């Protein structure tokens, strides 16, 4: 369970390939340390592969288990069938079904559900839909898993009418599709490029218990895949929000979204639009300031400066200490040019560095006070203020004590 949680769908901030790479590193490291894997470990690895849409050979995986003297169980076969079906390989899935039959393992709803996916992926929607009839013939009533597989198949084709008809059929039969099931449909629609239908599914949410963490994961996954507009659409539909800021202020909703947008380099102009909409909807009291904090925390200087300019345009105050996270990095590197750029940008924004900024983050990057003054002057960002003069005196005093 820990392995799946660490490397699968509960790690939405990472790309799918990065999650699988992490899983392989952990697997190999544990093996080096003498871990003996049993069938549950191999099943967990299969689950990670499926969640991360990792392409692999099920026959090679079976051979790997055999070489380790691990006997596959029903769950192993079920997930190997799912791997074949995700590629639309019905022949491969049938081969595994044959193994199961020989071992007298039952064909469960989960397997029928993957066959719905397999036929749909192979382009045969008629047979995908017929699986439900086959199930009933086998004495298995299609449940939520089967309907979700069928709905995802329609979503990948952008067939919103069939989605709506199927959802209505399930509701009439008093079937219970959870919000998490509906989120899978949103994910499938989004990945296939049918963003225009997302709102129709969002409006069907019942906001069950556990909705918020599931929806947060969906939003983060969408942002990771470059679909931040759709993620924002989902975010705006939240009925209640978690207290995702440190002081518990309920007016700071969407922090997780803004932070991740910064991490994946969403452009400043789009971040500004998100901030405006969050503020207008009273979902966040200071979205632009929080986004700037995230940019500074991530050491993204260009984005931070663009956001500061947006703040200035809105008449929001810009404090000298906003520059400290950037300056401290340049200080570590003794990066004179980077330091000058920060001071220059503050100058352009009409912000004069205070005594502490000059003393603790600017002056000690230069060889001496004279060269600092000269280079700042040459860059056109020297304001011969009292603060600068006091900082020069402090710096000289400190150096004479060393």
């Amino acid at each position: 369970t820990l392995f799946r949680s660490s490397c699968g769908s509960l790690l939405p901030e990472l790309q799918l390939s990065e999650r699988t790479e992490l899983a392989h590193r952990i697997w190999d490291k544990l093996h080096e340390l003498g871990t003996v894997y049993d069938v549950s470990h191999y099943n967990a690895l299969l689950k990670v592969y499926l969640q991360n849409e990792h392409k692999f050979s099920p026959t090679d995986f079976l051979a790997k288990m055999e070489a380790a003297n691990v006997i596959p169980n029903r769950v192993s076969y079920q997930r190997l069938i799912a791997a074949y079906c995700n590629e639309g390989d019905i022949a491969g899935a049938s081969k595994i079904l044959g193994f199961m039959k020989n071992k007298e393992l039952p064909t469960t709803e989960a397997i029928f559900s993957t066959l719905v996916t397999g036929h749909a992926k192979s382009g045969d929607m008629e047979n995908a839909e017929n699986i439900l009839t086959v199930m009933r013939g086998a004495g298995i009533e299609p449940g939520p898993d089967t309907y979700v597989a069928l709905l995802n198949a329609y979503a990948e084709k952008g067939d919103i009418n069939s989605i709506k008809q199927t959802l209505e059929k399930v509701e009439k039969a008093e079937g219970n599709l959870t919000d998490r099931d509906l989120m899978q449909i949103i994910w499938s629609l989004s990945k296939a490029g049918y963003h225009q239908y997302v709102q129709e599914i969002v409006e069907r949410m019942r906001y069950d218990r556990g909705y918020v963490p599931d929806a947060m994961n969906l939003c983060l996954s969408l942002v990771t895949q470059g679909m931040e507009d759709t993620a924002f659409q989902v975010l705006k539909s939240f009925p209640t929000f978690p207290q995702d800021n440190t002081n518990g202020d309920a007016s700071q909703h969407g922090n997780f979204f803004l932070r991740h947008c910064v991490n994946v380099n969403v452009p400043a102009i789009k971040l500004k639009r998100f901030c405006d909409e969050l503020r207008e909807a009273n979902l966040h009291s200071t979205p632009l300031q929080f986004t700037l904090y995230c940019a500074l925390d991530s050491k993204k200087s260009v984005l931070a400066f663009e956001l500061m300019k947006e703040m200035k345009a809105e008449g929001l105050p810009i404090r000298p200490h906003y520059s400290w996270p950037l300056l401290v990095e340049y200080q570590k590197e003794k990066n004179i040019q980077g330091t000058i750029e920060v001071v220059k940008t503050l100058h352009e924004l009409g912000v004069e560095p205070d005594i502490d900024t000059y003393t603790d983050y600017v002056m000690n990057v230069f060889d001496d006070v004279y060269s600092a003054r000269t280079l700042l002057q040459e860059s056109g960002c020297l304001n011969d203020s009292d603060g600068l003069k006091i900082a020069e005196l402090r710096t000289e005093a400190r150096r004479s004590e060393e």
Side-chain angles (χ1 to χ4, degrees), residues 160-173:
I160 191 64
N161 290 328
S162 292
I163 290 174
K164 289 196 280 194
Q165 286 165 13
T166 304
L167 286 171
E168 283 159 18
K169 189 188 295 181
V170 172
E171 282 168 18
K172 278 179 188 169

Side-chain angles (χ1 to χ4, degrees), residues 43-67:
N43 288 346
L45 183 59
L46 281 171
K47 185 73 170 177
V48 167
Y49 282 174
L50 293 172
Q51 288 185 347
N52 295 345
E53 299 170 26
H54 177 62
K55 295 188 191 311
F56 68 101
S57 164
T59 48
D60 287 353
F61 196 93
L62 269 176
K64 186 177 171 183
M65 290 181 75
E66 193 177 317

Side-chain angles (χ1 to χ4, degrees), residues 92-141:
S94 299
K95 194 191 305 178
I96 304 291
L97 278 168
F99 293 156
M100 291 188 71
K101 191 174 181 182
N102 290 338
K103 291 176 180 286
E104 298 182 346
L105 293 169
T107 305
T108 60
E109 185 197 351
I111 289 170
F112 279 117
S113 300
T114 59
L115 291 172
V116 170
T117 302
H119 283 295
K121 294 273 189 184
S122 71
D124 187 355
M125 277 308 296
E126 187 180 343
N127 262 325
E129 292 163 342
N130 282 342
I131 290 290
L132 278 72
T133 308
V134 174
M135 287 177 72
R136 291 187 180 105
I140 300 173
E141 188 59 33

Side-chain angles (χ1 to χ4, degrees), residues 295-296 299-301 304-305 323-330 342:
L296 291 168
K299 314 296 185 290
K300 295 181 186 285
S301 56
F305 293 149
S323 65
W324 291 1
L326 302 176
L327 287 169
V328 78
E329 285 302 301
Y330 295 142
V342 173

Side-chain angles (χ1 to χ4, degrees), residues 209-224:
R209 187 177 179 184
Y211 170 85
V212 169
D214 286 339
M216 285 173 70
N217 275 341
L218 173 63
C219 288
L220 291 169
S221 295
L222 288 166
V223 172
T224 300

Side-chain angles (χ1 to χ4, degrees), residues 40-273:
S40 67
H41 297 112
Y42 281 94
N43 288 346
L45 183 59
L46 281 171
K47 185 73 170 177
V48 167
Y49 282 174
L50 293 172
Q51 288 185 347
N52 295 345
E53 299 170 26
H54 177 62
K55 295 188 191 311
F56 68 101
S57 164
T59 48
D60 287 353
F61 196 93
L62 269 176
K64 186 177 171 183
M65 290 181 75
E66 193 177 317
N69 292 317
V70 176
I71 300 169
N73 61 14
R74 179 182 56 79
V75 174
S76 314
Y77 288 126
Q78 183 180 304
R79 288 174 182 172
L80 290 166
I81 289 169
Y84 273 125
C85 286
N86 286 344
E87 298 302 313
D89 186 348
I90 294 297
S94 299
K95 194 191 305 178
I96 304 291
L97 278 168
F99 293 156
M100 291 188 71
K101 191 174 181 182
N102 290 338
K103 291 176 180 286
E104 298 182 346
L105 293 169
T107 305
T108 60
E109 185 197 351
I111 289 170
F112 279 117
S113 300
T114 59
L115 291 172
V116 170
T117 302
H119 283 295
K121 294 273 189 184
S122 71
D124 187 355
M125 277 308 296
E126 187 180 343
N127 262 325
E129 292 163 342
N130 282 342
I131 290 290
L132 278 72
T133 308
V134 174
M135 287 177 72
R136 291 187 180 105
I140 300 173
E141 188 59 33
D145 287 352
T146 309
Y147 281 109
V148 168
L150 187 59
L151 287 161
N152 281 331
Y154 291 138
E156 287 176 12
K157 297 183 181 304
D159 186 352
I160 191 64
N161 290 328
S162 292
I163 290 174
K164 289 196 280 194
Q165 286 165 13
T166 304
L167 286 171
E168 283 159 18
K169 189 188 295 181
V170 172
E171 282 168 18
K172 278 179 188 169
E174 296 185 0
N176 289 318
L177 287 189
T178 64
D179 287 340
R180 187 179 288 188
D181 295 331
L182 295 176
M183 287 178 207
Q184 284 190 46
I185 301 166
I186 290 174
W187 177 247
S188 296
L189 282 168
S190 303
K191 280 200 306 173
Y194 298 105
H195 304 280
Q196 69 270 30
Y197 300 133
V198 166
Q199 191 57 37
E200 293 189 52
I201 307 302
V202 167
E203 287 167 5
R204 290 176 177 267
M205 294 290 180
R206 297 184 309 184
Y207 307 112
D208 299 326
R209 187 177 179 184
Y211 170 85
V212 169
D214 286 339
M216 285 173 70
N217 275 341
L218 173 63
C219 288
L220 291 169
S221 295
L222 288 166
V223 172
T224 300
Q225 298 302 320
M227 296 182 279
E228 58 276 356
D229 288 311
T230 306
F232 192 59
Q233 201 175 338
V234 175
L235 174 69
K236 287 189 295 182
S237 75
F238 279 33
T240 55
F241 290 71
Q243 304 300 321
D244 57 1
N245 62 316
T246 52
N247 62 11
D249 183 353
S251 62
Q252 308 304 308
H253 302 324
N255 281 1
F256 77 96
F257 172 80
L258 293 170
R259 185 183 290 111
H260 194 40
C261 282
V262 168
N263 289 341
V264 299
N265 300 313
V266 170
I269 189 167
K270 185 174 275 192
L271 284 168
K272 173 67 166 56
R273 176 168 65 79

Side-chain angles (χ1 to χ4, degrees), residues 320-383:
H321 70 264
Y322 291 177
S323 65
W324 291 1
L326 302 176
L327 287 169
V328 78
E329 285 302 301
Y330 295 142
Q331 189 181 58
K332 288 175 192 171
E333 302 162 3
K334 291 289 180 187
N335 185 336
I336 292 173
Q337 191 53 46
T339 302
I340 290 172
E341 282 302 314
V342 173
V343 177
K344 191 173 181 180
T345 302
L346 289 175
H347 184 74
E348 288 167 1
L349 291 166
V351 179
E352 172 60 22
D354 56 15
I355 298 169
D356 289 337
T357 304
Y358 274 129
T359 306
D360 297 332
Y361 300 99
V362 176
M363 289 298 175
N364 49 16
V365 174
F366 298 90
D367 293 334
D368 52 56
V369 167
Y370 175 75
S371 63
R373 177 174 279 274
T374 304
L375 288 168
L376 288 170
Q377 191 164 23
E378 286 174 1
S379 302
C381 55
L382 181 71
N383 188 342

